[in-house]
Amino acid sequence: MKPRILIVDDDPGLAQTLTMALEAEGYPVGEASSAEGAIEMLTRESFPIVVSDIYMAGQTGLDVLHRAKAMNPSGAVILMSGKGTVETVMEATRGGAFEYLAKPFSIDRLLEAVRGAERALKDTDGRAAESTEPASAMAGNSGPMVELYKFIARFAPTDVTLLVRGETGCGKELVARLLHQNSNRAKGRFVVVDCAALPGSLLESELFGAVRGAFTGADRDRMGLFEAAAGGTVLLDEIGEIDPAFQLRLLRFLQEKEVRPVGATTSRKVDVRVIAATNKDLEGMQREGKFREDLWYRLSAATIELPPLRHRREDIPLLVDRFLSEFAGQYGKHIRCDAAALKVLMEYSWPGNVRQLRHLIERLVILTNGPAIDAAAVRAVLPKDTPTQSGSGTPAPALPPEKLSDAEDEHIKRVLAATSGNKTKAAEILGIERKTLYRKLERMK
């Protein structure tokens, strides 16, 4: 016999749709139009599975979750929301929610979650997770972002070595910080190591330390970053850039959690969590012999792919509001983005992702004197050579590669001229890493 399901939603149309879909699959269903009504029903009747919206007038779906789990710890609660945030997902996970669905979702997706809950009931598998209160700077309610929040909630409390993948500007370091802040290592240090900025020999001494006399200039014993961050987390940013000769040393550390400083004869244990980040295709590099196969397997056991901004365009208005609020306050202005300007922002392809959007909004706030940013102002600061998207979401035709390269070079020259040669500021405006700008300048010589 299938378990009874309680549907909790203040939208009668959606509640009826879900009820009909579940009843068609043979599930007995009850309905409540508020959290208060659901809690009252749970005190009178048994519902092994609860499907509840989070945001309702009065009490919320999180209150339903807490009451349902208190009354039936082995029961399964599936939460729905059109306003997913890392905070709500973390609270839902800590409270033992079985699944978190971002609206809109398909009926098939709901049925998949319900069937999974039914299987879990048979196994009596508790799903509660503990964590600390997050300090989130992430923004987005889209399905891809909710999946990201769920990943953070599930893996933050563990010590598993993680690989965070995504394009430049997607927020890989921010995700690593959230993983640290919501772990039992939150009181420890969070150290970021830019692997691309250090050659292999220097990276080894930076991470593992060195003893006096180990090399020229080593006039004292020096503690490495792994040891200095003991009890905390180390982010190895751009791990795809590390020297192949150093990869074996890193693999051994990940396996043994022991450091041996350069020039030392003994090793010592270090308790530190490692998170790696990259925008490179490590699997492809592994096949080409540029990245160790065993290191790739070690890192790829738990991987999260960050969605590029063009794949979650519905989050752009929320991000724009956040950045407008930040920079309007910083520059003492009261400013908004009108609908036409927002449409242009929504149609742009954002090769530099959220970082590029943030820098562009800062420029617009500085340049706009009136109360609103209009479409003309946005078009004036967007790179002219980057393809945008049509309102239908179809990419505009790209320029031929050689012409696109020439246009990019000209745009870089214009930005450098506007910043009086300040490469750091130019890289921010372009929405790229400073070292990426240096590589492009080398190519232009």
Side-chain angles (χ1 to χ4, degrees):
M1 183 177 178
K2 289 186 176 294
R4 297 186 71 204
I5 299 176
L6 176 61
I7 299 293
V8 189
D9 201 302
D10 56 3
D11 180 344
L14 178 59
Q16 184 178 17
T17 298
L18 300 183
T19 296
M20 291 174 63
L22 291 168
E23 287 180 339
E25 295 292 316
Y27 292 97
V29 180
E31 287 187 31
S33 60
S34 67
E36 292 83 357
I39 291 170
E40 182 181 348
M41 289 180 70
L42 287 168
T43 61
R44 294 186 281 103
E45 305 175 56
S46 175
F47 291 95
I49 298 177
V50 177
V51 179
S52 176
D53 190 20
I54 289 185
Y55 296 101
M56 297 176 284
Q59 291 183 291
T60 71
L62 294 172
D63 297 304
V64 174
L65 167 67
H66 298 320
R67 178 60 66 89
K69 295 300 287 185
M71 299 183 69
N72 181 11
S74 63
V77 179
I78 298 169
L79 294 176
M80 311 174 289
S81 177
K83 304 176 184 178
T85 68
V86 71
E87 288 86 359
T88 55
V89 175
M90 287 299 299
E91 184 172 351
T93 303
R94 285 197 305 274
F98 177 80
E99 184 59 280
Y100 189 111
L101 302 178
K103 293 180 179 179
F105 52 82
S106 67
I107 292 298
D108 287 342
R109 181 70 184 90
L110 172 70
L111 293 176
E112 177 187 347
V114 168
R115 289 171 187 140
E118 185 178 3
R119 288 192 296 271
L121 289 174
K122 295 175 182 177
D123 296 337
T124 61
D125 179 22
R127 302 293 292 266
E130 295 180 358
S131 179
T132 55
E133 199 62 33
S136 171
M138 301 207 82
N141 300 324
S142 62
M145 289 303 290
V146 169
E147 291 303 314
L148 174 59
Y149 301 153
K150 286 157 63 174
F151 179 92
I152 293 171
R154 288 167 182 164
F155 281 92
T158 76
D159 275 339
V160 174
T161 300
L162 298 172
L163 178 62
V164 183
R165 301 171 62 161
E167 297 178 5
T168 296
C170 278
K172 295 184 289 294
E173 181 178 330
L174 178 55
V175 168
R177 286 185 182 277
L178 286 169
L179 286 161
H180 171 73
Q181 290 166 359
N182 291 288
S183 73
N184 56 8
R185 298 177 177 273
K187 294 182 180 179
R189 292 184 62 188
F190 177 79
V191 177
V192 180
V193 181
D194 186 350
C195 298
L198 299 169
S201 57
L202 184 55
L203 183 61
E204 182 173 9
S205 63
E206 283 288 311
L207 291 177
F208 295 100
V211 299
R212 181 179 179 182
F215 49 81
T216 303
D219 56 355
R220 57 185 175 83
D221 289 351
R222 181 181 177 189
M223 181 184 293
L225 292 176
F226 280 145
E227 195 167 4
T233 304
V234 171
L235 169 63
L236 300 179
D237 197 15
E238 300 201 40
I239 197 169
E241 301 286 351
I242 63 175
D243 190 319
F246 181 66
Q247 292 176 15
L248 179 58
R249 185 83 191 272
L250 177 60
L251 174 65
R252 287 175 177 165
F253 171 75
L254 293 174
Q255 291 172 336
E256 307 296 335
K257 290 297 176 70
E258 289 183 347
V259 297
R260 188 175 69 184
V262 177
T265 58
T266 59
S267 302
R268 48 184 176 265
K269 288 283 187 181
V270 172
D271 175 28
V272 66
R273 185 186 195 179
V274 174
I275 298 173
T278 186
N279 60 9
K280 290 187 173 295
D281 176 14
L282 295 188
E283 189 173 15
M285 292 176 65
Q286 175 259 314
R287 289 194 298 265
E288 295 170 3
K290 297 177 181 178
F291 201 84
R292 288 185 65 95
E293 182 179 20
D294 44 9
L295 180 56
W296 155 245
Y297 286 130
R298 178 79 186 188
L299 291 171
S300 62
T303 304
I304 180 63
E305 294 275 358
L306 304 194
L309 188 55
R310 63 184 175 276
H311 290 169
R312 57 181 189 101
R313 293 177 182 276
E314 60 267 45
D315 290 331
I316 289 176
L318 179 62
L319 289 164
V320 169
D321 283 345
R322 173 170 289 198
F323 297 146
L324 275 177
S325 177
E326 175 187 351
F327 293 119
Q330 180 177 331
Y331 295 106
K333 293 188 174 184
H334 297 282
I335 198 166
R336 60 182 177 82
C337 187
D338 70 24
L342 188 59
K343 182 175 185 294
V344 175
L345 293 171
M346 292 278 286
E347 291 175 345
Y348 184 62
S349 60
W350 298 111
N353 293 293
V354 177
R355 182 188 296 131
Q356 182 187 9
L357 174 61
R358 184 175 183 274
H359 291 315
L360 184 132
I361 295 298
E362 181 180 16
R363 287 186 65 197
L364 287 168
V365 169
I366 293 171
L367 295 172
T368 302
N369 294 320
I373 297 168
D374 59 24
V378 174
R379 293 192 183 97
V381 297
L382 280 175
K384 304 299 187 296
D385 53 330
T386 304
T388 59
Q389 302 261 345
S390 70
S392 63
T394 303
L399 294 172
E402 66 276 11
K403 293 183 180 179
L404 183 59
S405 175
D406 293 342
E408 180 184 64
D409 293 349
E410 287 302 314
H411 183 62
I412 290 173
K413 290 175 184 177
R414 289 197 301 270
V415 173
L416 281 169
T419 59
S420 302
N422 185 325
K423 294 183 179 64
T424 299
K425 191 62 179 176
E428 290 180 358
I429 293 172
L430 290 164
I432 60 177
E433 301 279 357
R434 187 172 57 180
K435 51 186 167 292
T436 302
L437 176 59
Y438 286 141
R439 288 198 294 268
K440 290 181 181 294
L441 292 174
E442 280 293 317
R443 184 203 69 206
M444 292 163 57
K445 287 183 179 178

